[in-house]
């Protein structure tokens, strides 16, 4: 019985505590809602909060010396958010904001289709006018004056002059079409100057609902320099938006080049900012709730100084050929240059001409400029170093030379006669016979490379056969992608039985005679040719090419190479393949390189260009038939001869003779070895810093 009483006591105490707590809560609720309700309501109504994104800066793209090729500049925009002000105050606010913009030369969005001087529709045809009238519930036949008067009444603008009313209508109409709220603003101006920013922020109380927002916008500091390497960014498309996580519809994304390939690393992470406002939309306080994290910086192997010289030299060379400065006029519109470090495979320069200005794509390129860039046969958007393949002509001859020496079918000192017409097959002629009516006579392999003798190599091709030509050309990477870290690379084609098997065609001896001198179906990209020349000079070692030197995060730390490679290989669909190492004998390589050295010496096809050059250069000219009475001009070179550092490949479409383009190689080598005083100059460029 005693224990039962104790239980009852406990329950009674518990009930009492519950009642007390309930009474306290009721009292507090009464206090909040009845006693101080009006006060708290006024406070709540007088404090509004908006959360907006802080746009993260995109990572910089740097050259190998830290010059910023692609960075960011801050772009300010002017937006208006819905606030609790009446219509007259809204109109006054809009007009005052427009006055500030106009005073400082800033433009604002205006899609209202009625002019006022004279009053007329902007639309050029009645069909569009009728459609607009229908969309705005206006009767067919409504005149421009009547439509304008309707909107003046609709927006309560009677007390303003016609000019002032028209300015306000531009924004009010934009708001009606696009909508806005206290959380999502309408953009009055996409870009305002710092002077306008200062004036509006200083007089913040006079601009309720008006807000200055900023975002970093891509800036290409050297105009078109390395445009095909850098690529460009643009506003994200619907398909890109659905395929990529972490983006919004107004974000920018890499479209081509390194901007595309390294998107994951270059893109930063947006932060968050909270803005406190009074009831009328005036900002009362701002603070960051989540910091923005800038993207990683991508350092390229490209040397901006060499790139600048290569671009200028190629352009000038093309202009000279067009003007007939070499003795004959030809229509030349395009060319390319590749410069490699022969020991590391790093791309020092990659030039495709014509080029383009990446900046024009950031906010949408104009139709006029797009048409200029996409003229058929002269497109500036093709990276000709890796997206176009060309017959190599005589610069291919080092392949059969190596194959002949390695197989023992020819020797270093053996002389083969060039009588001008080769007696086998379809009896092809040497270019020397076609030009001078006689042959070269007896030549060693080095001399045949110097003189670029076709008949010598017809005989080499006859001895070694197409299988060996294919074998060694494949080893040097011809007809295969280099897997450089850029999108759109093509494989080209290697003439031979493997290709013909795919085509279900028969390979004939005559095909070998054509293929051995770099014709037939042989079509290679300039970057493939650069790797081939680099392999000839580095002891015949396989060479992996790269254009990315390092990727550095916002903490200043390098991202692991394997992580970068795995991501890029997946993005570009690159699959690693294992290949046989042919272990080419150094003596045979030396024999071929001696022939290339003699090309730039007295008696060689490029002697006139390099006769006074202070550094010993090896090279080879090439002229390859390209159909339609066109002949592409090649020059491949390396230096210094004794201890090669760089390989240079120059191609000029329809450039006629390889020695024409040798001048480009000479200027590039002068820049690389510091034989001139040229430097990259651009006052807008910024030094490299970790952001």
């Amino acid at each position: 019985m005693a224990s039962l009483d104790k239980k009852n006591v406990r329950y009674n105490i518990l009930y009492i505590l519950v009642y007390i707590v309930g009474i306290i809560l009721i009292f507090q609720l009464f206090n909040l809602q009845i006693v101080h309700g009006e006060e708290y309501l006024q406070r709540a109504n007088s404090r509004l909060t908006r959360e907006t994104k802080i746009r993260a800066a995109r990572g910089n793209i740097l050259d190998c010396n830290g010059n910023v090729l692609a960075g960011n500049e801050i772009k300010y925009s002017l937006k208006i958010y819905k606030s609790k002000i009446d219509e007259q105050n809204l109109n006054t606010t809009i007009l005052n904001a427009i006055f500030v913009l106009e005073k400082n030369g800033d433009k604002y969005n205006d899609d209202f289709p009625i002019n006022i001087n004279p009053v007329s529709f902007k639309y050029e045809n009645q069909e569009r006018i009728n459609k607009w009238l229908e969309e705005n519930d206006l009767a067919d036949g409504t005149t421009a004056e009547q439509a304008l008067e309707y909107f003046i009444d609709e927006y309560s603008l009677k007390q303003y002059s016609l000019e002032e009313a028209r300015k306000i209508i531009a924004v009010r109409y934009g708001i009606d079409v696009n909508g806005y709220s206290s959380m999502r603003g309408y953009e009055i101006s996409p870009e305002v100057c710092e002077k306008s920013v200062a004036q509006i922020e200083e007089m913040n109380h006079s601009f309720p609902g008006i807000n200055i927002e900023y975002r970093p916008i891509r800036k290409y500091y050297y105009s078109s320099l390395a445009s095909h390497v850098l690529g460009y960014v643009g506003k994200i498309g619907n398909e890109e938006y659905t395929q990529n996580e972490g983006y919004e519809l107004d974000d920018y994304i890499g479209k081509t080049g390194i901007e595309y390939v390294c998107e994951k690393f270059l893109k930063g992470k947006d932060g968050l900012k909270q803005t406190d406002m009074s009831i009328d939309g005036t900002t009362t306080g701002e603070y960051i709730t989540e910091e923005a994290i800038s993207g990683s910086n991508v350092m390229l192997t490209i040397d901006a100084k060499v790139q600048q010289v290569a671009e200028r030299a190629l352009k000038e060379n093309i202009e000279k050929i067009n003007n007939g400065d070499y003795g004959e006029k030809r229509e030349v519109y395009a060319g390319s240059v590749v410069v490699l470090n022969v020991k590391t495979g790093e791309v020092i320069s990659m030039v495709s001409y014509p080029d383009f200005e990446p900046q024009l794509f950031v906010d949408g390129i104009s139709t006029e400029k797009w048409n200029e860039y996409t003229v058929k046969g002269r497109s500036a958007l093709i990276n000709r170093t890796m997206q176009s393949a060309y017959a190599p002509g005589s610069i291919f001859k080092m392949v059969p030379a190596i194959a002949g020496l390695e197989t023992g079918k020819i020797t270093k000192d053996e002389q083969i006669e060039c009588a001008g017409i080769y007696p086998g097959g379809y009896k092809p002629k040497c270019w020397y016979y076609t030009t001078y009516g006689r042959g070269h006579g007896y030549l060693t392999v080095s001399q045949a490379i110097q003189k670029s003798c076709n008949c010598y190599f017809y005989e080499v091709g006859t001895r070694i056969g197409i299988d060996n030509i294919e074998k060694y050309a494949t080893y040097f990477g011809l007809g295969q992608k280099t897997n450089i870290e850029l999108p759109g690379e093509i494989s080209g084609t290697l003439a031979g039985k493997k290709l013909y098997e795919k085509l279900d065609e028969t390979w004939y001896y005559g095909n070998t005679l054509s293929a051995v001198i770099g014709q037939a179906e042989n079509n290679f990209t300039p970057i493939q040719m650069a790797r081939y020349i680099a392999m000839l000079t580095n002891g015949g070692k396989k060479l992996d090419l790269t254009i990315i030197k390092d990727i550095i995060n916002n903490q200043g730390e390098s991202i692991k190479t394997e992580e970068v490679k795995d991501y890029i290989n997946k993005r570009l669909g690159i699959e690693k393949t294992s290949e046989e190492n042919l272990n080419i004998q150094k003596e045979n390589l030396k024999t071929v390189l001696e022939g290339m050295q003699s090309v730039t010496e007295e008696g060689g096809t490029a002697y006139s260009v390099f006769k006074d050059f202070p550094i010993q250069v090896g090279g080879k000219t090439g002229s390859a038939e390209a159909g339609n009475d066109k002949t592409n001009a090649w020059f491949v070179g390396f230096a210094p001869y004794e201890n090669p550092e760089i390989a240079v490949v120059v191609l000029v479409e329809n450039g006629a003779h390889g020695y024409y383009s040798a001048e480009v190689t000479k200027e590039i080598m002068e820049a690389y070895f510091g034989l001139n005083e040229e430097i990259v100059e651009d006052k807008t460029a910024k030094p490299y810093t970790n952001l």
Side-chain angles (χ1 to χ4, degrees), residues 309-562:
V309 171
E311 289 186 9
R312 191 208 65 231
L314 178 63
K315 182 180 179 182
E316 290 178 353
N317 187 252
I318 288 172
E319 289 173 350
K320 283 182 180 180
I321 297 172
N322 268 316
N323 295 333
D325 292 356
Y326 295 103
E328 61 174 316
K329 277 190 175 185
R330 298 183 75 91
E331 289 188 355
V332 182
Y333 305 111
S336 59
V337 172
V338 179
V339 184
L340 292 184
N341 182 315
V342 303
K343 298 175 182 177
T344 65
E346 292 180 341
V347 178
I348 298 168
S349 177
M350 179 183 274
V351 180
S352 181
Y353 182 85
D355 53 21
F356 61 90
E357 294 182 64
Q359 198 67 50
L360 299 180
F361 290 85
V362 175
D363 285 320
I365 190 168
S366 68
T367 301
E368 181 183 2
K369 205 66 181 177
W370 174 262
N371 291 338
E372 177 188 326
Y373 282 160
T374 55
V375 174
K376 188 175 181 180
R378 309 183 195 179
S379 175
L381 303 183
I382 296 173
N383 185 346
R384 287 170 170 77
T385 65
M386 51 175 279
Q387 293 177 330
S388 296
Y390 309 87
S394 294
I395 61 172
F396 181 75
K397 289 174 179 174
M398 286 81 79
V399 171
I402 289 290
L405 291 166
E406 284 288 299
T407 58
K409 300 297 183 179
I410 60 172
T411 65
K412 174 183 177 181
D413 299 318
E414 179 188 5
Q415 293 185 329
I416 296 174
E417 184 185 10
C418 167
I421 302 175
Y422 188 68
Y426 57 90
K427 296 180 175 52
K429 299 178 178 65
C430 183
W431 70 268
Y432 196 75
Y433 178 85
T434 303
T435 306
Y436 300 105
R438 62 183 186 275
H440 284 104
Y442 285 91
L443 302 171
T444 64
V445 62
S446 293
Q447 291 170 334
I449 291 172
Q450 180 194 37
K451 303 296 183 182
S452 199
C453 177
N454 288 349
C455 283
Y456 181 97
F457 286 98
Y458 292 144
E459 177 62 20
V460 173
T462 300
R463 293 185 187 186
I464 64 178
I466 190 60
D467 290 340
N468 278 314
I469 296 173
E470 276 192 273
K471 176 181 177 180
Y472 282 88
T474 299
Y475 180 72
F476 284 110
L478 301 179
Q480 307 165 65
K481 293 180 181 180
T482 66
N483 291 334
I484 192 71
E485 305 102 324
L486 288 171
E489 183 178 15
I490 64 171
S491 300
T493 55
L494 173 61
K497 290 180 181 178
K498 291 180 182 178
L499 175 64
Y500 271 47
E501 285 172 6
K502 292 179 182 177
L503 299 174
D504 196 24
E505 295 182 10
T506 303
W507 184 267
Y508 296 102
Y509 170 56
N511 299 117
T512 300
L513 296 180
S514 183
V516 76
I517 61 167
Q519 294 288 168
E521 290 80 15
N522 283 321
N523 287 287
F524 311 130
T525 62
I527 197 167
Q528 286 176 18
M529 301 308 293
R531 178 172 64 176
Y532 148 60
I533 300 303
M535 287 178 63
L536 283 174
T537 64
N538 74 359
K541 298 174 185 176
K542 278 288 187 182
L543 199 61
D544 291 326
L545 303 193
T546 182
I547 203 165
I548 297 176
K549 196 175 191 70
D550 198 6
I551 298 183
I552 307 149
N553 64 24
N554 69 323
Q555 302 296 316
E557 301 168 344
S558 293
I559 297 174
K560 292 181 180 179
T561 303
E562 285 306 311

Side-chain angles (χ1 to χ4, degrees), residues 22 137 156 177 210 222 269 274 310 338 349 363 534 558 563 601 617 622 633 658 684 686:
D137 297 325
S156 304
V177 171
I210 298 289
Y222 295 95
K269 183 180 178 183
Q274 186 167 308
V338 179
S349 177
D363 285 320
S558 293
E563 179 184 345
E601 296 180 334
V617 176
T684 63
K686 298 179 180 179

Side-chain angles (χ1 to χ4, degrees), residues 579-646:
E579 297 174 355
E580 177 187 5
N581 189 343
L582 295 182
N583 295 313
I584 299 172
Q585 296 179 52
K586 291 184 178 179
E587 187 63 28
N588 291 334
L589 286 167
K590 182 180 178 184
T591 298
V592 169
L593 296 181
E594 285 174 351
M596 295 181 71
Q597 180 192 12
S598 65
V599 169
T600 65
E601 296 180 334
E602 190 169 359
T605 52
Y607 171 67
S608 61
V609 177
F610 291 98
K611 62 181 179 180
D612 297 321
F613 202 65
I615 296 174
Q616 216 168 13
V617 176
K620 184 72 185 78
T621 57
S623 302
E625 295 177 2
N628 299 319
D629 198 31
K630 292 185 177 181
T631 302
N632 293 332
W634 291 91
F635 186 84
V636 297
F638 65 91
Y641 174 76
E642 291 297 337
N643 184 22
E645 292 181 30
I646 62 169

Side-chain angles (χ1 to χ4, degrees), residues 37-78:
E38 188 65 28
E39 176 187 348
Y40 291 139
L41 180 62
Q42 288 179 358
R43 286 187 187 180
N45 286 337
S46 64
R47 292 184 61 188
L48 300 173
T49 299
R50 178 174 63 246
E51 192 173 65
T52 55
K53 284 201 171 189
I54 303 173
R55 299 291 183 177
R58 194 170 177 83
N60 295 329
I61 302 177
L62 320 164
D63 85 332
C64 64
N65 297 309
N67 293 301
V68 181
L69 305 178
N72 302 283
E73 65 177 0
I74 299 301
K75 184 176 179 180
Y76 299 94
S77 63
L78 187 69

Side-chain angles (χ1 to χ4, degrees), residues 199-347:
Q199 290 174 1
I200 289 173
E201 288 187 341
E202 184 180 354
M203 300 291 290
N204 176 52
H205 62 278
S206 298
F207 298 99
I210 298 289
N211 195 52
I212 298 289
E213 297 184 4
Y214 72 90
R215 69 182 304 161
I217 294 294
R218 205 45 156 179
K219 176 70 175 178
Y220 298 93
Y221 289 106
Y222 295 95
S223 186
S224 59
L225 188 75
S227 55
H228 293 91
V229 175
L230 300 179
Y232 58 84
V233 300
K235 288 189 176 179
I236 192 168
N238 290 331
E239 187 175 345
E240 293 167 318
Y241 178 72
T242 57
Q243 292 176 352
N244 295 273
E245 296 181 0
Y247 290 82
E248 294 189 4
L249 284 171
D250 62 344
D251 276 336
Y252 290 76
I253 193 169
K255 302 284 187 175
T256 62
I258 289 295
E259 295 280 24
Y260 168 82
V261 173
C262 294
E263 175 64 25
K264 170 186 173 182
F265 304 108
L266 290 166
K267 185 183 187 301
K269 183 180 178 183
D270 292 339
L272 290 173
K273 179 181 73 174
Q274 186 167 308
T275 303
D276 291 337
M277 302 164 290
S278 62
I279 189 172
D280 65 357
T282 303
T283 300
T284 58
E286 291 182 339
Y287 53 93
I288 295 171
T289 57
E290 186 177 333
E291 293 282 354
I293 301 173
S294 60
S296 299
N297 292 327
V298 176
M299 179 173 279
L300 304 178
T301 59
I302 294 289
D303 186 321
K305 177 184 70 173
V306 177
Q307 180 77 17
Q308 187 180 57
V309 171
E311 289 186 9
R312 191 208 65 231
L314 178 63
K315 182 180 179 182
E316 290 178 353
N317 187 252
I318 288 172
E319 289 173 350
K320 283 182 180 180
I321 297 172
N322 268 316
N323 295 333
D325 292 356
Y326 295 103
E328 61 174 316
K329 277 190 175 185
R330 298 183 75 91
E331 289 188 355
V332 182
Y333 305 111
S336 59
V337 172
V338 179
V339 184
L340 292 184
N341 182 315
V342 303
K343 298 175 182 177
T344 65
E346 292 180 341
V347 178

